[in-house]
Amino acid sequence: MEGSGHRDNDVLLHWAPVEEAGDSTQILFSKKDSSGGDSCTSEEDPTFDPGYEPDWAVISTVRPRPHHSEPTEGAEPSSTRGPWAFSVSLGELKSIRRSKPGLSWAYLVLVTQAGGSLPALHFHRGGTRALLRVLSRYLLLASSPQDSRLYLVFPHDSSALSNSFHHLQLFDQDSSNVVSRFLQDPYSTTFSSFSRVTNFFRGALQPHPEGTSPDLPPPPDDEPEPGFEVISCVELGSRPPVERASPVTEGEWALHVGPEGRLQQVSELKNRIFSGGLSPSLRREAWKFLLGYLSWEGSAEEHKAHVRKKTDEYFRMKLQWKSVSPEQERRNSLLHGYRSLIERDVSRTDRTNKFYEGPENPGLGLLHDILLTYCMYHFDLGYVQGMSDLLSPILYVIQSEVDAFWCFCGFMELVHGNFEESQETMKRQLGQLLLLLRVLDQPLCDFLDSQDSGSLCFCFRWLLIWFKREFPFPDILRLWEVLWTGLPGPNLHLLVACAILDMERDTLMLSGFGSNEILKHINELTMKLSVEDVLTRAEALYRQLTACRELPHNVQEVLGLVPPSEPRSPSPPVSPLPLSPTRALPTPPPSVDTAPQPDSSLEILPEEEEGADS
């Protein structure tokens, strides 16, 4: 539900105090339907389980708020429900102040964005914690270290992270170069620059003093505002045990092939692939379905016709760049730049794999041709460093130029936003990852915050190329085919990242690591992770989250449990980066204690290396 008072979907807080001599059994939970009436009035509405006998109700409505609930300098009391009753949109709240300890009963005071205070909410029989718990499903409550009785209210969205990228460009001249290079090449900066960048991220999650602009740094003579502890107030149950199944075999796949070659019981088949993966001999056929090249509902004859059509389409696109003469290419800087970058990346992609090893390996030529043809297929995106990592396993499995190209296109439909110059998709995913991790493990987030690593930018490469550099080659085949099922939700790759951090939790927190050591440790996990262990833990985390009855709405959106809400407002503008065929998204530099390992990370371009320390 939207919490803003400017949208049709509002979450309202309705307060109706209990009369001194009243019967407490008359205080009920109430949820309003779209028609405006009370669709349900129950003493045991399962949506709300405060654990106390409450004096309040949260009303979810999908219609414009009734006129009497529109606040002016706060909210008008509702005369129809007593002189102290009122309804207020959660989006209009600015802060919540609680009573001093030691009083005979507790109370809360709600302050609105307009600066007005609503009538105090008195709790004669307890319930303040219960109310704050329910509010935390719709809002972020931040406790100020300067005033332990004050909670600041923030909406549940990822705009803080998006704003931080925007604000990075507005600092002083000394910082602007770090920021500019971070937006273009987040991991080509040095460790010291990395710490400065993460400091900027943390600043975006902190409130700004009254009268100051959030786009500007604090005045030189003022101390920066202290941080705030985000209160999630979500109580997760125990983590359920999960067991992975055996891979789907060719025989089991054959049982799902019906008349005319149509696959049957597709949902059951996808569930099996999710829980166990595929046997290697089956991948060449099954990946074409998982990546959308072949339709799950099509017949064998329909598939043959589709392949003939797509083969013709592929070679027509390939002819577009093959027919360009060297003389023409000299006048086409974009094509020339793409070709140069592709040739360089292909020459170092998975060269330790037998399928690509050797100086004259034909697999390298296929990688080159497919990637250059993709530039013709997707003119706007073209080629960005990292795409060769995504194509390599597909070509290895499919072993057909045309089929591999279209499977690669299907994969890029899922992740093309990762490579866009605006970086909006990567920013959103980092924000979603942080949101999940805060619900799953607030102490770990607090530790990372304390070490200037709370932005999780060390996970950038994981999300960018779907952990391609983190697992051995055979394991990445298993991981990707599980992720391609789209089960159990749309963002399992974020839970995979959470699972890795969960596995390394004790090492990170008990070793006294600083930001540099954290980044170094994460980099050194490469090729040391077990894909089955990670997938098992990721599924367990998913089940643990979905079993929580009070899961915040935005977490439910990330997990695909509810449809995503419309954004509250457009993302802040990000200064456009120059359109260049040599733009790249490299990974972190090698750790300070080790020399670079061949083919261990996406490498930065020479011209970027030259200015890395500027």
Side-chain angles (χ1 to χ4, degrees):
M1 288 292 181
E2 294 288 336
S4 169
H6 303 288
R7 307 189 70 89
D8 289 345
N9 294 335
D10 273 358
V11 176
L12 305 181
L13 172 66
H14 174 68
W15 174 260
V18 180
E19 295 294 334
E20 288 288 335
D23 182 0
S24 64
T25 61
Q26 297 175 358
I27 305 304
L28 309 176
F29 293 119
S30 176
K31 180 183 290 184
K32 288 192 176 181
D33 62 16
S34 59
S35 64
D38 285 349
S39 61
C40 62
T41 305
S42 166
E43 296 183 19
E44 294 183 335
D45 186 336
T47 306
F48 307 109
D49 181 18
Y52 297 89
E53 186 175 38
D55 295 348
W56 45 267
V58 173
I59 303 173
S60 298
T61 175
V62 290
R63 64 179 178 85
R65 295 195 313 280
H67 190 67
H68 71 268
S69 68
E70 290 287 337
T72 58
E73 296 297 313
E76 293 287 340
S78 174
S79 59
T80 61
R81 295 179 181 263
W84 304 108
F86 62 86
S87 295
V88 63
S89 167
L90 298 189
E92 295 167 359
L93 297 182
K94 181 180 181 181
S95 61
I96 302 175
R97 181 173 292 278
R98 59 191 175 101
S99 56
K100 294 180 179 179
L103 298 179
S104 57
W105 68 80
Y107 67 85
L108 296 173
V109 177
L110 308 182
V111 181
T112 66
Q113 297 285 352
S117 296
L118 302 177
L121 281 61
H122 293 274
F123 297 79
H124 295 266
R125 294 186 297 276
T128 54
R129 283 186 59 194
L131 175 56
L132 292 174
R133 245 175 103 194
V134 173
L135 289 178
S136 69
R137 297 171 58 194
Y138 305 93
L139 302 166
L140 288 176
L141 304 180
S143 177
S144 170
Q146 291 183 333
D147 186 347
S148 61
R149 296 168 52 211
L150 181 66
Y151 297 129
L152 299 186
V153 176
F154 300 96
H156 261 322
D157 59 32
S158 59
S159 61
L161 184 62
S162 182
N163 286 337
S164 66
F165 276 81
H166 174 54
H167 298 160
L168 286 177
Q169 303 171 76
L170 302 174
F171 282 83
D172 55 45
Q173 185 64 36
D174 292 337
S175 301
S176 62
N177 187 47
V178 176
V179 173
S180 174
R181 286 189 287 111
F182 178 82
L183 288 173
Q184 297 181 59
D185 290 318
Y187 281 165
S188 65
T189 54
T190 61
F191 281 112
S192 60
S193 299
F194 223 94
S195 298
R196 291 157 66 189
V197 169
T198 52
N199 283 333
F200 296 158
F201 273 109
R202 297 182 65 201
L205 297 175
Q206 299 173 357
H208 300 272
E210 293 290 339
T212 64
S213 169
D215 289 343
L216 298 175
D221 298 330
D222 292 351
E223 290 295 321
E225 281 287 298
F228 293 86
E229 177 187 0
V230 176
I231 304 174
S232 63
C233 296
V234 176
E235 294 184 7
L236 298 178
S238 59
R239 192 172 299 173
V242 171
E243 290 187 12
R244 298 279 300 161
S246 58
V248 178
T249 63
E250 288 183 278
E252 185 177 353
W253 179 276
L255 295 176
H256 288 268
V257 180
E260 300 181 337
R262 298 182 191 274
L263 289 172
Q264 300 176 328
Q265 299 175 312
V266 172
S267 295
E268 179 185 325
L269 184 56
K270 286 184 179 180
N271 272 297
R272 277 289 291 117
I273 298 172
F274 165 75
S275 62
L278 296 160
S279 61
S281 59
L282 186 55
R283 287 183 174 134
R284 185 174 183 181
E285 178 181 2
W287 279 25
K288 297 174 186 177
F289 292 91
L290 289 170
L291 290 167
Y293 178 40
L294 298 182
S295 168
W296 293 95
E297 295 79 21
S299 67
E301 286 301 318
E302 289 169 342
H303 290 156
K304 289 179 181 179
H306 179 73
V307 169
R308 286 194 297 269
K309 175 185 174 182
K310 288 298 184 180
T311 299
D312 179 65
E313 187 176 344
Y314 172 77
F315 283 109
R316 279 190 284 110
M317 288 188 292
K318 184 175 181 179
L319 186 61
Q320 292 176 7
W321 63 265
K322 291 283 282 186
S323 60
V324 175
S325 67
E327 204 173 304
Q328 288 177 299
E329 188 170 317
R330 282 196 294 269
R331 295 189 292 270
N332 189 333
S333 59
L334 196 61
L335 177 61
H336 178 73
Y338 286 145
R339 186 194 295 272
S340 299
L341 187 56
I342 288 171
E343 288 176 351
R344 206 181 78 155
D345 283 357
V346 163
S347 67
R348 58 190 182 185
T349 299
D350 290 325
R351 296 309 301 276
T352 57
N353 188 302
K354 290 185 178 181
F355 189 77
Y356 297 110
E357 68 181 5
E360 303 296 331
N361 192 299
L364 301 180
L366 293 178
L367 280 177
H368 171 274
D369 289 2
I370 292 173
L371 291 171
L372 206 47
T373 303
Y374 185 79
C375 295
M376 303 294 105
Y377 173 79
H378 200 317
F379 282 107
D380 291 338
L381 186 59
Y383 178 80
V384 181
Q385 189 176 10
M387 291 182 181
S388 61
D389 276 278
L390 301 185
L391 172 60
S392 169
I394 294 176
L395 181 59
Y396 170 84
V397 167
I398 302 298
Q399 299 194 8
S400 161
E401 179 180 0
V402 174
D403 294 347
F405 171 82
W406 291 112
C407 287
F408 173 69
C409 290
F411 194 5
M412 288 301 298
E413 283 297 308
L414 298 176
V415 300
H416 70 87
N418 292 4
F419 299 94
E420 292 174 349
E421 288 182 307
S422 69
Q423 297 277 292
E424 287 301 316
T425 299
M426 290 301 300
K427 286 180 272 182
R428 183 180 70 251
Q429 290 180 90
L430 285 172
Q432 292 172 334
L433 175 58
L434 180 59
L435 175 65
L436 292 176
L437 196 62
R438 284 204 180 278
V439 175
L440 288 166
D441 196 340
Q442 182 67 48
L444 176 59
C445 288
D446 292 342
F447 167 76
L448 294 174
D449 280 336
S450 71
Q451 302 302 321
D452 293 339
S453 300
S455 63
L456 304 183
C457 286
F458 51 81
C459 301
F460 187 95
R461 184 177 70 184
W462 295 359
L463 306 183
L464 176 71
I465 53 174
W466 275 28
F467 309 93
K468 168 61 164 52
R469 298 284 182 167
E470 319 313 318
F471 291 93
F473 198 87
D475 281 4
I476 208 65
L477 307 182
R478 173 61 46 79
L479 175 64
W480 283 4
E481 64 199 14
V482 170
L483 295 177
W484 290 335
T485 65
L487 299 173
N491 289 306
L492 180 61
H493 67 296
L494 299 181
L495 288 171
V496 168
C498 289
I500 296 174
L501 293 175
D502 186 67
M503 295 167 70
E504 299 301 316
R505 179 186 195 273
D506 291 344
T507 301
L508 292 173
M509 296 184 67
L510 301 179
S511 300
F513 285 165
S515 58
N516 290 356
E517 290 81 11
I518 291 172
L519 181 58
K520 179 176 181 290
H521 178 75
I522 294 298
N523 281 341
E524 290 175 347
L525 295 177
T526 299
M527 304 301 160
K528 297 178 182 177
L529 299 168
S530 164
V531 72
E532 292 296 333
D533 290 347
V534 171
L535 285 172
T536 299
R537 191 168 301 223
E539 185 177 352
L541 293 176
Y542 176 84
R543 293 187 185 182
Q544 183 182 26
L545 288 169
T546 54
C548 177
R549 295 176 59 188
E550 297 185 351
L551 202 62
H553 188 270
N554 56 344
V555 177
Q556 296 183 47
E557 289 180 353
V558 174
L559 298 177
L561 303 178
V562 295
S565 304
E566 294 182 4
R568 297 177 185 273
S569 59
S571 299
V574 177
S575 298
L577 303 177
L579 179 62
S580 167
T582 59
R583 71 186 190 275
L585 299 175
T587 55
S591 62
V592 292
D593 297 331
T594 59
Q597 299 297 314
D599 199 38
S600 62
S601 65
L602 303 179
E603 298 177 31
I604 57 177
L605 304 181
E607 59 268 29
E608 295 163 338
E609 289 177 353
E610 184 179 350
D613 294 325
S614 58

